[in-house]
Amino acid sequence: MVSALALAFYLAKTTETEDVFVPVLNIKRSELPLRGDSVFLLQEIHIPESLLIFRDEIDLHTLHQAGQLTLILVDHHVLPRSDAALEEAVAEVLDHRPIEQKRCPPCHVSVELVGSCATLVTERILQGAPEILDRQTAALLHATIILDCVNMDLKIGKATPKDKKYVEKLEARFTDLPKRNDIFDSLQKAKFDVSGLTTEQMLRKDQKTIFRQGIKVAISAIYMDLEAFLQRSGLLADLHAFCQAHSYDALVAMTIFFNAHNEPVRQLAVFCPHAALRTTICGALERSHSPALKLTPAPSTHPNLQAYLQGNTQVSRKKLLPLLQEALSAYFDSMTIPSGHPEAAREQVDKESDRAGTSLIPGLSQDEEEPPLPPTPMNSLVDECPLDQGLPKLSAEAIFEKCSQISLSQSTAAFLSKK
């Protein structure tokens, strides 16, 4: 969110064309409360929610059909199937994760494996037009890099030399920025606070989805102890309802919390009513050696649910995704679907959407590794917000007004960030 906001600010300040740069959050406005760290940071930096533009408030497809849309993908590089028609409008990708070559749009791609995409945006601003950087924008970037890089902790290994370099550059330019520990502790607490959330909201708060030949699997981060999660009232019914509502065939939940010794703990739960699919997924996770999860089965009285203690706490949900993709491939390799069987028709229909292989659909999630939770009682497509002096001098109302006045000969540039 911050990466796209700040990049849009930079381009709005430095581009001499008449293009209108529109940061867009790829969630519904009603879903913002699920992004506790984002809500907290925007409030701290004095950016009113009323200035944000959400995906349900702007029609990118209509703009594209009218020839008025140019997209910049920020902090991700794969469009979901629902936005496949927008791929030809993508002019640039700015990301900090390995590229899926078969899925990346054919455009200018700028990728560097740093801890935070906000680092790359900071670099562009300071190299291109450092004079436009004000404290508000600097504070947004500074806080985001610190959160993404787990407070620059060398033991965690998320921060790269470039992340460190640009955090220090921001601090040198704005000496009154808050202390790193204060920023990190506050954002961590806000990010992982699930108090008051329903089970569905907890599952959707930080969720990804993988899709393979008609099978959809949700992967959610749950910020509490697995035992406490499994004891939630009506959990099994909630899990069934969640999967049915979103057409998921299986759900993998990774719980994350700190123990009494202030050490990170990760646990896994696999919920799947389909015995063969559940066995395949669990088997792939149990047998994995690269990386080795070091799983120990945990007690669970729920049918269709297998729980585990995860001995290797360095394996994040992000690193779990390739294992699950391989599990789905193995599941289909082991199946023989006779011609004329309903499943065969289902598979044929899905080939169109699955031509490029397994699709990763960033759900509501911040598409990055979850840094360890703080010891407190309990981060696609389009992200953003307007910016002005710290954010540009462009309110949401002004953006909509300008967009409505754009002729067919003009273009609108939108920043498509991960969800």
Side-chain angles (χ1 to χ4, degrees), residues 333-351:
D333 289 344
S334 66
M335 294 176 61
T336 301
I337 304 176
S339 178
H341 189 281
E343 190 64 31
R346 179 186 183 189
E347 181 176 3
Q348 182 63 38
V349 170
D350 289 323
K351 283 182 179 178

Side-chain angles (χ1 to χ4, degrees), residues 7-309:
L7 184 58
F9 172 52
Y10 167 73
L11 293 176
K13 290 288 189 179
T14 59
T15 304
E16 296 181 356
T17 68
E18 295 183 355
D19 293 346
V20 179
F21 296 92
V22 184
V24 184
L25 300 183
N26 195 41
I27 58 174
K28 296 179 181 179
R29 181 176 291 274
S30 62
E31 294 172 346
L32 182 62
L34 299 183
R35 315 292 288 273
D37 51 347
S38 299
V39 172
F40 177 83
L41 181 59
L42 292 171
Q43 290 175 346
E44 287 293 299
I45 307 299
H46 305 297
I47 299 175
E49 182 182 330
S50 60
L51 291 184
L52 305 178
I53 297 176
F54 294 82
R55 186 60 187 273
D56 57 336
E57 298 171 336
I58 186 169
D59 191 339
L60 297 179
H61 288 271
T62 296
L63 285 172
H64 176 51
Q65 292 168 5
Q68 297 177 301
L69 181 68
T70 297
L71 286 178
I72 298 177
L73 306 188
V74 184
D75 207 3
H76 77 127
H77 59 270
V78 177
L79 290 169
R81 290 175 296 123
S82 59
D83 282 332
L86 300 178
E87 186 169 293
E88 59 190 23
V90 179
E92 182 180 357
V93 167
L94 182 65
D95 200 0
H96 69 123
R97 55 180 53 75
I99 285 290
E100 294 182 42
Q101 295 292 349
K102 294 182 179 181
R103 298 283 293 155
C104 188
C107 62
H108 176 68
V109 177
S110 180
V111 170
E112 189 169 349
L113 304 182
V114 294
S116 174
C117 189
T119 296
L120 303 179
V121 177
T122 302
E123 178 181 47
R124 183 172 297 192
I125 294 174
L126 291 181
Q127 290 185 353
E131 69 280 0
I132 73 165
L133 187 63
D134 56 33
R135 189 189 181 283
Q136 188 181 39
T137 308
L140 287 170
L141 292 166
H142 183 247
T144 302
I145 298 171
I146 289 172
L147 180 64
D148 285 346
C149 295
V150 196
N151 202 18
M152 321 309 288
D153 191 330
L154 295 178
K155 296 191 298 293
I156 300 298
K158 186 77 181 288
T160 67
K162 177 165 283 191
D163 296 300
K164 182 175 182 291
K165 172 183 176 181
Y166 282 100
V167 162
E168 292 174 349
K169 281 183 174 291
L170 290 171
E171 291 170 344
R173 291 178 64 88
F174 299 92
T175 58
D176 63 335
L177 287 172
K179 300 290 186 182
R180 295 182 189 180
N181 287 343
D182 293 341
I183 296 171
F184 182 70
D185 291 345
S186 296
L187 288 175
Q188 284 283 71
K189 183 176 180 180
K191 179 175 182 177
F192 299 118
D193 183 6
V194 296
S195 59
L197 296 184
T198 65
T199 297
E200 181 187 18
Q201 288 175 324
M202 292 174 65
L203 293 170
R204 295 175 61 220
K205 178 178 172 64
D206 202 348
Q207 175 208 325
K208 305 179 193 298
T209 305
I210 56 174
F211 179 88
R212 181 71 174 179
Q213 294 174 293
I215 295 293
K216 288 175 65 179
V217 178
I219 307 95
S220 298
I222 304 295
Y223 304 112
M224 64 188 303
D225 175 65
L226 179 61
E227 183 178 358
F229 179 69
L230 295 180
Q231 292 177 351
R232 289 177 67 88
S233 177
L235 177 68
L236 195 61
D238 289 341
L239 297 180
H240 272 291
F242 177 77
C243 289
Q244 288 185 344
H246 303 284
S247 300
Y248 294 129
D249 296 279
L251 165 68
V252 178
M254 175 179 279
T255 63
I256 315 166
F257 70 100
F258 265 79
N259 63 18
H261 302 290
N262 201 27
E263 299 168 334
V265 176
R266 294 180 188 268
Q267 302 157 313
L268 286 174
V270 178
F271 172 79
C272 179
H274 313 293
L277 179 58
R278 185 175 67 254
T279 299
T280 300
I281 292 174
C282 291
L285 298 179
E286 292 171 2
R287 293 189 300 269
S288 176
H289 295 290
S290 180
L293 281 73
K294 300 181 181 179
L295 299 179
T296 302
S300 171
T301 59
H302 297 298
N304 304 328
L305 189 150
Q306 177 63 57
Y308 299 96
L309 303 180

